[in-house]
Amino acid sequence: MMQQDPLSQLRDIHLPHSGGFWPPAPGWWLLMAIAIALGILAFVLIRRKRRKNRWLKTAITELNRLEQAATPNSQWFGALNALLKQAARIRYPERLPESLSGEPWVRFLLETSPKDRIASRPVVEAMVNSSWQPTPECHTSDAVAFARVWLGGQKC
């Protein structure tokens, strides 16, 4: 009697089971760590920028309140100049803007204005002078428009 062929007794080739999705390969761990670090960095930078410019949001809110109560008198223009000085003190503390008045204050506002410096000069002069004159020369809408432009260019 003849023995069976020994090759016929072998089983088929079985492929190993796939490893599954867990645990990930080391490259995925590294990629995940980098993504988390970048997310934390972006969060910290955005939060720092918002905290730095929080005063600007408060100033714009106060400007909106002043605009609602706009009356062409020296007290209103004084309040507007005080608001701009408070904002300037926060944005430019080294230049001591709170101590400026008259022509130096006008020059400071024009130097730090983001645009239209030459065209804004008559409005700024009238706005500053209207805070101590009994009959203001400046229109409240012009003063508010300049204040919006000036505050818009003061982000830290």
Short mmCIF file of all heavy atoms in Angstrom, two decimals, residues 57-122:
data_model
loop_
_atom_site.label_atom_id
_atom_site.label_comp_id
_atom_site.label_asym_id
_atom_site.label_seq_id
_atom_site.Cartn_x
_atom_site.Cartn_y
_atom_site.Cartn_z
N LYS A 57 -13.36 97.29 22.58
CA LYS A 57 -14.78 96.97 22.54
C LYS A 57 -15.55 97.86 23.52
O LYS A 57 -16.62 98.37 23.19
CB LYS A 57 -14.99 95.50 22.88
CG LYS A 57 -16.42 95.05 22.76
CD LYS A 57 -16.55 93.57 23.04
CE LYS A 57 -18.00 93.16 22.93
NZ LYS A 57 -18.20 91.76 23.28
N THR A 58 -14.99 98.08 24.70
CA THR A 58 -15.62 98.96 25.68
C THR A 58 -15.70 100.39 25.16
O THR A 58 -16.72 101.06 25.33
CB THR A 58 -14.83 98.91 27.00
OG1 THR A 58 -14.72 97.56 27.42
CG2 THR A 58 -15.51 99.73 28.08
N ALA A 59 -14.63 100.86 24.53
CA ALA A 59 -14.61 102.22 23.99
C ALA A 59 -15.65 102.39 22.87
O ALA A 59 -16.32 103.42 22.80
CB ALA A 59 -13.22 102.57 23.48
N ILE A 60 -15.78 101.40 22.02
CA ILE A 60 -16.77 101.49 20.93
C ILE A 60 -18.19 101.47 21.50
O ILE A 60 -19.07 102.19 21.02
CB ILE A 60 -16.53 100.36 19.91
CG1 ILE A 60 -15.23 100.64 19.14
CG2 ILE A 60 -17.70 100.23 18.95
CD1 ILE A 60 -14.79 99.54 18.23
N THR A 61 -18.41 100.69 22.55
CA THR A 61 -19.72 100.67 23.20
C THR A 61 -20.03 102.05 23.80
O THR A 61 -21.15 102.55 23.66
CB THR A 61 -19.75 99.59 24.30
OG1 THR A 61 -19.45 98.34 23.72
CG2 THR A 61 -21.10 99.54 24.99
N GLU A 62 -19.04 102.65 24.43
CA GLU A 62 -19.22 103.99 25.00
C GLU A 62 -19.45 105.02 23.90
O GLU A 62 -20.26 105.93 24.06
CB GLU A 62 -18.00 104.36 25.85
CG GLU A 62 -18.08 105.71 26.49
CD GLU A 62 -19.17 105.82 27.54
OE1 GLU A 62 -19.61 104.78 28.07
OE2 GLU A 62 -19.58 106.96 27.83
N LEU A 63 -18.76 104.88 22.78
CA LEU A 63 -18.98 105.79 21.65
C LEU A 63 -20.39 105.64 21.11
O LEU A 63 -21.04 106.65 20.77
CB LEU A 63 -17.95 105.52 20.54
CG LEU A 63 -18.05 106.41 19.31
CD1 LEU A 63 -17.81 107.87 19.68
CD2 LEU A 63 -17.07 105.97 18.26
N ASN A 64 -20.91 104.43 21.03
CA ASN A 64 -22.30 104.22 20.60
C ASN A 64 -23.28 104.88 21.56
O ASN A 64 -24.27 105.47 21.14
CB ASN A 64 -22.61 102.73 20.48
CG ASN A 64 -21.89 102.09 19.32
OD1 ASN A 64 -21.54 102.75 18.36
ND2 ASN A 64 -21.66 100.80 19.41
N ARG A 65 -22.99 104.80 22.87
CA ARG A 65 -23.84 105.45 23.86
C ARG A 65 -23.80 106.96 23.69
O ARG A 65 -24.82 107.64 23.74
CB ARG A 65 -23.41 105.06 25.27
CG ARG A 65 -24.39 105.52 26.35
CD ARG A 65 -23.82 105.33 27.73
NE ARG A 65 -22.66 106.15 27.99
CZ ARG A 65 -22.67 107.47 28.21
NH1 ARG A 65 -23.79 108.14 28.16
NH2 ARG A 65 -21.55 108.12 28.48
N LEU A 66 -22.60 107.50 23.46
CA LEU A 66 -22.47 108.94 23.24
C LEU A 66 -23.20 109.36 21.96
O LEU A 66 -23.80 110.44 21.91
CB LEU A 66 -20.99 109.34 23.14
CG LEU A 66 -20.26 109.61 24.44
CD1 LEU A 66 -18.79 109.82 24.18
CD2 LEU A 66 -20.86 110.78 25.17
N GLU A 67 -23.13 108.54 20.95
CA GLU A 67 -23.80 108.87 19.69
C GLU A 67 -25.32 108.93 19.88
O GLU A 67 -25.99 109.79 19.30
CB GLU A 67 -23.45 107.85 18.61
CG GLU A 67 -24.02 108.18 17.25
CD GLU A 67 -23.62 107.16 16.20
OE1 GLU A 67 -23.28 106.02 16.57
OE2 GLU A 67 -23.65 107.52 15.01
N GLN A 68 -25.85 108.04 20.70
CA GLN A 68 -27.29 108.04 20.96
C GLN A 68 -27.73 109.29 21.71
O GLN A 68 -28.83 109.79 21.51
CB GLN A 68 -27.70 106.79 21.77
CG GLN A 68 -27.49 105.50 21.03
CD GLN A 68 -28.32 105.40 19.78
OE1 GLN A 68 -29.45 105.82 19.73
NE2 GLN A 68 -27.72 104.84 18.73
N ALA A 69 -26.85 109.79 22.57
CA ALA A 69 -27.17 110.98 23.38
C ALA A 69 -26.52 112.23 22.82
O ALA A 69 -26.18 113.15 23.57
CB ALA A 69 -26.73 110.73 24.82
N ALA A 70 -26.31 112.28 21.53
CA ALA A 70 -25.59 113.39 20.91
C ALA A 70 -26.37 114.70 21.01
O ALA A 70 -27.49 114.80 20.52
CB ALA A 70 -25.28 113.08 19.45
N THR A 71 -25.77 115.65 21.69
CA THR A 71 -26.31 117.01 21.76
C THR A 71 -25.15 117.96 21.49
O THR A 71 -24.07 117.80 22.07
CB THR A 71 -26.91 117.31 23.13
OG1 THR A 71 -25.92 117.05 24.14
CG2 THR A 71 -28.14 116.47 23.40
N PRO A 72 -25.34 118.92 20.64
CA PRO A 72 -24.22 119.81 20.29
C PRO A 72 -23.94 120.83 21.40
O PRO A 72 -24.28 122.01 21.30
CB PRO A 72 -24.68 120.48 18.99
CG PRO A 72 -26.17 120.41 19.05
CD PRO A 72 -26.52 119.20 19.83
N ASN A 73 -23.33 120.36 22.48
CA ASN A 73 -22.90 121.27 23.54
C ASN A 73 -21.51 120.89 24.00
O ASN A 73 -20.98 119.83 23.65
CB ASN A 73 -23.90 121.28 24.70
CG ASN A 73 -24.09 119.92 25.34
OD1 ASN A 73 -23.21 119.07 25.26
ND2 ASN A 73 -25.24 119.70 25.94
N SER A 74 -20.92 121.76 24.79
CA SER A 74 -19.51 121.55 25.18
C SER A 74 -19.34 120.33 26.08
O SER A 74 -18.30 119.68 26.04
CB SER A 74 -18.97 122.81 25.86
OG SER A 74 -19.73 123.11 27.01
N GLN A 75 -20.36 119.99 26.89
CA GLN A 75 -20.23 118.81 27.76
C GLN A 75 -20.14 117.53 26.92
O GLN A 75 -19.37 116.63 27.25
CB GLN A 75 -21.43 118.70 28.73
CG GLN A 75 -21.47 119.75 29.80
CD GLN A 75 -22.11 121.04 29.32
OE1 GLN A 75 -22.76 121.08 28.28
NE2 GLN A 75 -21.91 122.12 30.07
N TRP A 76 -20.93 117.45 25.86
CA TRP A 76 -20.90 116.25 25.02
C TRP A 76 -19.54 116.11 24.34
O TRP A 76 -18.96 115.02 24.30
CB TRP A 76 -22.01 116.31 23.97
CG TRP A 76 -22.12 115.05 23.19
CD1 TRP A 76 -22.79 113.93 23.54
CD2 TRP A 76 -21.47 114.75 21.94
NE1 TRP A 76 -22.64 112.96 22.58
CE2 TRP A 76 -21.83 113.43 21.59
CE3 TRP A 76 -20.64 115.46 21.10
CZ2 TRP A 76 -21.38 112.82 20.42
CZ3 TRP A 76 -20.19 114.85 19.94
CH2 TRP A 76 -20.56 113.54 19.61
N PHE A 77 -19.02 117.22 23.80
CA PHE A 77 -17.70 117.16 23.16
C PHE A 77 -16.60 116.89 24.19
O PHE A 77 -15.61 116.21 23.88
CB PHE A 77 -17.42 118.46 22.39
CG PHE A 77 -18.17 118.53 21.09
CD1 PHE A 77 -19.32 119.29 20.97
CD2 PHE A 77 -17.73 117.83 19.99
CE1 PHE A 77 -20.01 119.35 19.78
CE2 PHE A 77 -18.42 117.87 18.80
CZ PHE A 77 -19.56 118.63 18.68
N GLY A 78 -16.77 117.38 25.41
CA GLY A 78 -15.82 117.07 26.48
C GLY A 78 -15.82 115.58 26.79
O GLY A 78 -14.77 114.97 27.00
N ALA A 79 -17.02 114.98 26.83
CA ALA A 79 -17.11 113.53 27.08
C ALA A 79 -16.48 112.73 25.94
O ALA A 79 -15.81 111.72 26.17
CB ALA A 79 -18.57 113.13 27.27
N LEU A 80 -16.67 113.19 24.71
CA LEU A 80 -16.07 112.50 23.56
C LEU A 80 -14.54 112.59 23.62
O LEU A 80 -13.85 111.59 23.40
CB LEU A 80 -16.59 113.09 22.25
CG LEU A 80 -16.05 112.44 20.97
CD1 LEU A 80 -16.45 110.98 20.89
CD2 LEU A 80 -16.54 113.19 19.75
N ASN A 81 -14.02 113.78 23.94
CA ASN A 81 -12.56 113.92 24.07
C ASN A 81 -12.03 113.08 25.23
O ASN A 81 -10.95 112.50 25.12
CB ASN A 81 -12.19 115.39 24.26
CG ASN A 81 -12.07 116.12 22.95
OD1 ASN A 81 -11.37 115.69 22.05
ND2 ASN A 81 -12.80 117.22 22.82
N ALA A 82 -12.79 113.01 26.33
CA ALA A 82 -12.36 112.17 27.46
C ALA A 82 -12.31 110.70 27.06
O ALA A 82 -11.38 109.98 27.43
CB ALA A 82 -13.30 112.38 28.63
N LEU A 83 -13.30 110.26 26.28
CA LEU A 83 -13.30 108.87 25.80
C LEU A 83 -12.08 108.60 24.93
O LEU A 83 -11.40 107.58 25.09
CB LEU A 83 -14.58 108.59 25.02
CG LEU A 83 -14.64 107.26 24.29
CD1 LEU A 83 -14.67 106.10 25.27
CD2 LEU A 83 -15.85 107.21 23.38
N LEU A 84 -11.79 109.51 24.02
CA LEU A 84 -10.62 109.32 23.14
C LEU A 84 -9.33 109.35 23.95
O LEU A 84 -8.38 108.61 23.65
CB LEU A 84 -10.61 110.39 22.05
CG LEU A 84 -11.74 110.28 21.02
CD1 LEU A 84 -11.66 111.42 20.02
CD2 LEU A 84 -11.71 108.95 20.31
N LYS A 85 -9.26 110.19 24.99
CA LYS A 85 -8.05 110.22 25.83
C LYS A 85 -7.89 108.93 26.62
O LYS A 85 -6.77 108.45 26.79
CB LYS A 85 -8.09 111.43 26.75
CG LYS A 85 -7.76 112.72 26.04
CD LYS A 85 -7.63 113.86 27.00
CE LYS A 85 -7.29 115.12 26.23
NZ LYS A 85 -6.91 116.22 27.10
N GLN A 86 -8.99 108.38 27.11
CA GLN A 86 -8.90 107.10 27.83
C GLN A 86 -8.39 106.01 26.91
O GLN A 86 -7.52 105.20 27.29
CB GLN A 86 -10.26 106.71 28.38
CG GLN A 86 -10.72 107.54 29.55
CD GLN A 86 -12.16 107.23 29.93
OE1 GLN A 86 -12.86 106.50 29.25
NE2 GLN A 86 -12.60 107.83 31.03
N ALA A 87 -8.92 105.97 25.69
CA ALA A 87 -8.47 104.96 24.73
C ALA A 87 -7.01 105.19 24.36
O ALA A 87 -6.23 104.24 24.24
CB ALA A 87 -9.34 105.00 23.48
N ALA A 88 -6.62 106.45 24.18
CA ALA A 88 -5.24 106.76 23.83
C ALA A 88 -4.29 106.41 24.98
O ALA A 88 -3.16 105.97 24.75
CB ALA A 88 -5.11 108.24 23.47
N ARG A 89 -4.73 106.60 26.22
CA ARG A 89 -3.89 106.26 27.37
C ARG A 89 -3.60 104.77 27.42
O ARG A 89 -2.51 104.34 27.75
CB ARG A 89 -4.56 106.73 28.66
CG ARG A 89 -3.70 106.46 29.89
CD ARG A 89 -4.36 106.91 31.15
NE ARG A 89 -5.62 106.20 31.32
CZ ARG A 89 -6.67 106.71 31.92
NH1 ARG A 89 -6.65 107.92 32.39
NH2 ARG A 89 -7.77 105.99 32.05
N ILE A 90 -4.60 103.96 27.04
CA ILE A 90 -4.40 102.51 27.04
C ILE A 90 -3.52 102.09 25.86
O ILE A 90 -2.64 101.25 26.00
CB ILE A 90 -5.75 101.78 27.00
CG1 ILE A 90 -6.50 102.04 28.30
CG2 ILE A 90 -5.57 100.29 26.79
CD1 ILE A 90 -7.94 101.58 28.29
N ARG A 91 -3.75 102.67 24.70
CA ARG A 91 -3.03 102.28 23.48
C ARG A 91 -1.61 102.84 23.44
O ARG A 91 -0.69 102.19 22.98
CB ARG A 91 -3.83 102.73 22.25
CG ARG A 91 -3.18 102.43 20.93
CD ARG A 91 -3.08 100.92 20.71
NE ARG A 91 -2.52 100.62 19.42
CZ ARG A 91 -1.23 100.37 19.20
NH1 ARG A 91 -0.38 100.36 20.19
NH2 ARG A 91 -0.81 100.10 17.99
N TYR A 92 -1.43 104.09 23.89
CA TYR A 92 -0.12 104.75 23.83
C TYR A 92 0.28 105.25 25.22
O TYR A 92 0.39 106.46 25.44
CB TYR A 92 -0.18 105.95 22.86
CG TYR A 92 -0.61 105.60 21.47
CD1 TYR A 92 -1.92 105.83 21.05
CD2 TYR A 92 0.27 105.04 20.55
CE1 TYR A 92 -2.33 105.51 19.77
CE2 TYR A 92 -0.13 104.72 19.27
CZ TYR A 92 -1.44 104.96 18.89
OH TYR A 92 -1.84 104.65 17.62
N PRO A 93 0.53 104.37 26.17
CA PRO A 93 0.84 104.84 27.53
C PRO A 93 2.17 105.59 27.62
O PRO A 93 2.33 106.47 28.47
CB PRO A 93 0.88 103.55 28.35
CG PRO A 93 1.17 102.48 27.37
CD PRO A 93 0.56 102.92 26.07
N GLU A 94 3.10 105.30 26.74
CA GLU A 94 4.42 105.93 26.81
C GLU A 94 4.39 107.39 26.35
O GLU A 94 5.28 108.16 26.68
CB GLU A 94 5.43 105.14 25.97
CG GLU A 94 5.23 105.21 24.47
CD GLU A 94 4.11 104.33 23.92
OE1 GLU A 94 3.56 103.50 24.65
OE2 GLU A 94 3.78 104.51 22.74
N ARG A 95 3.36 107.79 25.62
CA ARG A 95 3.29 109.15 25.08
C ARG A 95 2.47 110.09 25.97
O ARG A 95 2.37 111.28 25.67
CB ARG A 95 2.71 109.13 23.67
CG ARG A 95 3.67 108.39 22.71
CD ARG A 95 3.18 108.31 21.33
NE ARG A 95 3.11 109.62 20.69
CZ ARG A 95 2.69 109.81 19.45
NH1 ARG A 95 2.32 108.78 18.74
NH2 ARG A 95 2.65 111.01 18.94
N LEU A 96 1.90 109.59 27.05
CA LEU A 96 1.11 110.36 28.02
C LEU A 96 0.05 111.23 27.35
O LEU A 96 0.03 112.46 27.52
CB LEU A 96 2.03 111.22 28.90
CG LEU A 96 3.09 110.45 29.69
CD1 LEU A 96 4.04 111.41 30.36
CD2 LEU A 96 2.43 109.53 30.70
N PRO A 97 -0.86 110.65 26.59
CA PRO A 97 -1.85 111.46 25.87
C PRO A 97 -2.88 112.13 26.78
O PRO A 97 -3.49 113.11 26.39
CB PRO A 97 -2.52 110.45 24.95
CG PRO A 97 -2.34 109.16 25.62
CD PRO A 97 -1.03 109.24 26.33
N GLU A 98 -3.06 111.61 28.00
CA GLU A 98 -4.05 112.21 28.88
C GLU A 98 -3.67 113.61 29.34
O GLU A 98 -4.51 114.39 29.77
CB GLU A 98 -4.33 111.30 30.10
CG GLU A 98 -3.15 111.13 31.03
CD GLU A 98 -2.23 109.98 30.65
OE1 GLU A 98 -2.38 109.41 29.57
OE2 GLU A 98 -1.35 109.66 31.45
N SER A 99 -2.39 113.96 29.21
CA SER A 99 -1.96 115.29 29.61
C SER A 99 -2.01 116.31 28.47
O SER A 99 -1.76 117.48 28.69
CB SER A 99 -0.53 115.22 30.16
OG SER A 99 0.36 114.83 29.12
N LEU A 100 -2.34 115.86 27.28
CA LEU A 100 -2.38 116.76 26.12
C LEU A 100 -3.70 117.50 26.03
O LEU A 100 -4.75 116.97 26.42
CB LEU A 100 -2.16 115.96 24.84
CG LEU A 100 -0.85 115.19 24.72
CD1 LEU A 100 -0.86 114.37 23.45
CD2 LEU A 100 0.33 116.13 24.76
N SER A 101 -3.64 118.70 25.50
CA SER A 101 -4.85 119.47 25.23
C SER A 101 -4.53 120.47 24.14
O SER A 101 -3.37 120.77 23.87
CB SER A 101 -5.36 120.17 26.48
OG SER A 101 -4.40 121.11 26.93
N GLY A 102 -5.57 120.99 23.50
CA GLY A 102 -5.37 121.99 22.46
C GLY A 102 -4.66 121.43 21.24
O GLY A 102 -4.94 120.33 20.78
N GLU A 103 -3.72 122.21 20.73
CA GLU A 103 -3.00 121.83 19.50
C GLU A 103 -2.18 120.55 19.65
O GLU A 103 -2.17 119.73 18.73
CB GLU A 103 -2.11 122.99 19.04
CG GLU A 103 -1.37 122.74 17.74
CD GLU A 103 -2.29 122.45 16.56
OE1 GLU A 103 -3.42 122.97 16.52
OE2 GLU A 103 -1.87 121.69 15.67
N PRO A 104 -1.49 120.31 20.78
CA PRO A 104 -0.78 119.02 20.91
C PRO A 104 -1.73 117.81 20.86
O PRO A 104 -1.39 116.77 20.30
CB PRO A 104 -0.10 119.11 22.28
CG PRO A 104 0.04 120.56 22.53
CD PRO A 104 -1.14 121.21 21.88
N TRP A 105 -2.93 117.95 21.41
CA TRP A 105 -3.91 116.85 21.36
C TRP A 105 -4.39 116.64 19.93
O TRP A 105 -4.56 115.51 19.49
CB TRP A 105 -5.05 117.17 22.32
CG TRP A 105 -6.19 116.20 22.31
CD1 TRP A 105 -7.50 116.50 22.12
CD2 TRP A 105 -6.16 114.79 22.53
NE1 TRP A 105 -8.27 115.37 22.19
CE2 TRP A 105 -7.48 114.29 22.44
CE3 TRP A 105 -5.15 113.87 22.78
CZ2 TRP A 105 -7.81 112.95 22.60
CZ3 TRP A 105 -5.48 112.52 22.92
CH2 TRP A 105 -6.78 112.08 22.83
N VAL A 106 -4.60 117.72 19.20
CA VAL A 106 -5.00 117.62 17.79
C VAL A 106 -3.91 116.90 16.99
O VAL A 106 -4.18 115.99 16.21
CB VAL A 106 -5.29 119.01 17.20
CG1 VAL A 106 -5.47 118.95 15.69
CG2 VAL A 106 -6.52 119.62 17.85
N ARG A 107 -2.64 117.31 17.20
CA ARG A 107 -1.52 116.67 16.49
C ARG A 107 -1.44 115.18 16.83
O ARG A 107 -1.21 114.35 15.96
CB ARG A 107 -0.21 117.37 16.83
CG ARG A 107 0.09 118.57 15.98
CD ARG A 107 1.54 118.99 16.08
NE ARG A 107 2.06 118.98 17.43
CZ ARG A 107 2.11 120.04 18.25
NH1 ARG A 107 1.67 121.20 17.85
NH2 ARG A 107 2.59 119.93 19.46
N PHE A 108 -1.62 114.87 18.11
CA PHE A 108 -1.56 113.46 18.53
C PHE A 108 -2.65 112.65 17.83
O PHE A 108 -2.39 111.56 17.31
CB PHE A 108 -1.73 113.36 20.05
CG PHE A 108 -1.80 111.94 20.53
CD1 PHE A 108 -0.65 111.21 20.74
CD2 PHE A 108 -3.03 111.34 20.76
CE1 PHE A 108 -0.72 109.89 21.18
CE2 PHE A 108 -3.12 110.02 21.19
CZ PHE A 108 -1.95 109.30 21.40
N LEU A 109 -3.88 113.15 17.82
CA LEU A 109 -4.98 112.43 17.17
C LEU A 109 -4.71 112.24 15.68
O LEU A 109 -4.99 111.18 15.12
CB LEU A 109 -6.30 113.16 17.37
CG LEU A 109 -6.92 113.07 18.76
CD1 LEU A 109 -8.13 113.97 18.86
CD2 LEU A 109 -7.29 111.64 19.10
N LEU A 110 -4.16 113.27 15.04
CA LEU A 110 -3.89 113.16 13.60
C LEU A 110 -2.71 112.22 13.33
O LEU A 110 -2.73 111.49 12.33
CB LEU A 110 -3.63 114.53 13.00
CG LEU A 110 -4.87 115.44 12.96
CD1 LEU A 110 -4.49 116.83 12.50
CD2 LEU A 110 -5.94 114.85 12.07
N GLU A 111 -1.69 112.23 14.19
CA GLU A 111 -0.53 111.34 14.00
C GLU A 111 -0.93 109.88 14.14
O GLU A 111 -0.40 109.02 13.45
CB GLU A 111 0.55 111.66 15.02
CG GLU A 111 1.31 112.92 14.77
CD GLU A 111 2.26 113.25 15.92
OE1 GLU A 111 2.42 112.42 16.84
OE2 GLU A 111 2.82 114.35 15.89
N THR A 112 -1.83 109.60 15.06
CA THR A 112 -2.20 108.22 15.34
C THR A 112 -3.44 107.78 14.57
O THR A 112 -3.87 106.64 14.70
CB THR A 112 -2.45 108.02 16.84
OG1 THR A 112 -3.45 108.95 17.28
CG2 THR A 112 -1.17 108.22 17.62
N SER A 113 -4.01 108.68 13.77
CA SER A 113 -5.18 108.34 12.97
C SER A 113 -4.76 107.41 11.83
O SER A 113 -3.73 107.61 11.20
CB SER A 113 -5.82 109.60 12.41
OG SER A 113 -6.93 109.30 11.63
N PRO A 114 -5.56 106.39 11.52
CA PRO A 114 -5.16 105.43 10.49
C PRO A 114 -5.22 105.95 9.07
O PRO A 114 -4.50 105.47 8.22
CB PRO A 114 -6.13 104.28 10.68
CG PRO A 114 -7.32 104.87 11.33
CD PRO A 114 -6.82 106.01 12.16
N LYS A 115 -6.08 106.96 8.79
CA LYS A 115 -6.18 107.44 7.42
C LYS A 115 -6.77 108.85 7.39
O LYS A 115 -7.27 109.34 8.40
CB LYS A 115 -7.04 106.50 6.57
CG LYS A 115 -8.45 106.33 7.08
CD LYS A 115 -9.22 105.36 6.22
CE LYS A 115 -10.63 105.18 6.79
NZ LYS A 115 -11.41 104.29 6.01
N ASP A 116 -6.71 109.49 6.23
CA ASP A 116 -7.28 110.81 5.99
C ASP A 116 -6.83 111.86 7.01
O ASP A 116 -7.63 112.59 7.58
CB ASP A 116 -8.82 110.75 5.97
CG ASP A 116 -9.35 109.87 4.87
OD1 ASP A 116 -8.64 109.72 3.87
OD2 ASP A 116 -10.44 109.34 5.02
N ARG A 117 -5.54 111.95 7.25
CA ARG A 117 -5.05 112.89 8.25
C ARG A 117 -5.27 114.35 7.83
O ARG A 117 -5.64 115.18 8.63
CB ARG A 117 -3.57 112.65 8.50
CG ARG A 117 -3.34 111.32 9.15
CD ARG A 117 -1.89 111.05 9.38
NE ARG A 117 -1.77 109.75 10.03
CZ ARG A 117 -0.77 108.94 9.85
NH1 ARG A 117 0.20 109.26 9.05
NH2 ARG A 117 -0.73 107.80 10.48
N ILE A 118 -5.02 114.65 6.57
CA ILE A 118 -5.15 116.03 6.11
C ILE A 118 -6.62 116.42 6.05
O ILE A 118 -7.00 117.51 6.48
CB ILE A 118 -4.46 116.20 4.74
CG1 ILE A 118 -2.96 115.98 4.91
CG2 ILE A 118 -4.73 117.57 4.17
CD1 ILE A 118 -2.19 115.92 3.63
N ALA A 119 -7.46 115.54 5.54
CA ALA A 119 -8.88 115.85 5.44
C ALA A 119 -9.54 115.92 6.82
O ALA A 119 -10.52 116.64 6.99
CB ALA A 119 -9.58 114.80 4.59
N SER A 120 -9.01 115.23 7.80
CA SER A 120 -9.61 115.19 9.13
C SER A 120 -9.20 116.38 10.00
O SER A 120 -9.83 116.61 11.03
CB SER A 120 -9.22 113.90 9.85
OG SER A 120 -9.70 112.79 9.16
N ARG A 121 -8.18 117.10 9.63
CA ARG A 121 -7.67 118.17 10.50
C ARG A 121 -8.73 119.19 10.89
O ARG A 121 -8.86 119.49 12.09
CB ARG A 121 -6.47 118.86 9.85
CG ARG A 121 -5.86 119.90 10.79
CD ARG A 121 -4.46 120.29 10.33
NE ARG A 121 -3.81 121.09 11.33
CZ ARG A 121 -3.17 120.64 12.39
NH1 ARG A 121 -3.12 119.35 12.60
NH2 ARG A 121 -2.61 121.45 13.24
N PRO A 122 -9.54 119.74 9.97
CA PRO A 122 -10.56 120.70 10.41
C PRO A 122 -11.59 120.10 11.37
O PRO A 122 -12.00 120.75 12.32
CB PRO A 122 -11.24 121.14 9.11
CG PRO A 122 -10.32 120.75 8.02
CD PRO A 122 -9.51 119.62 8.52
#
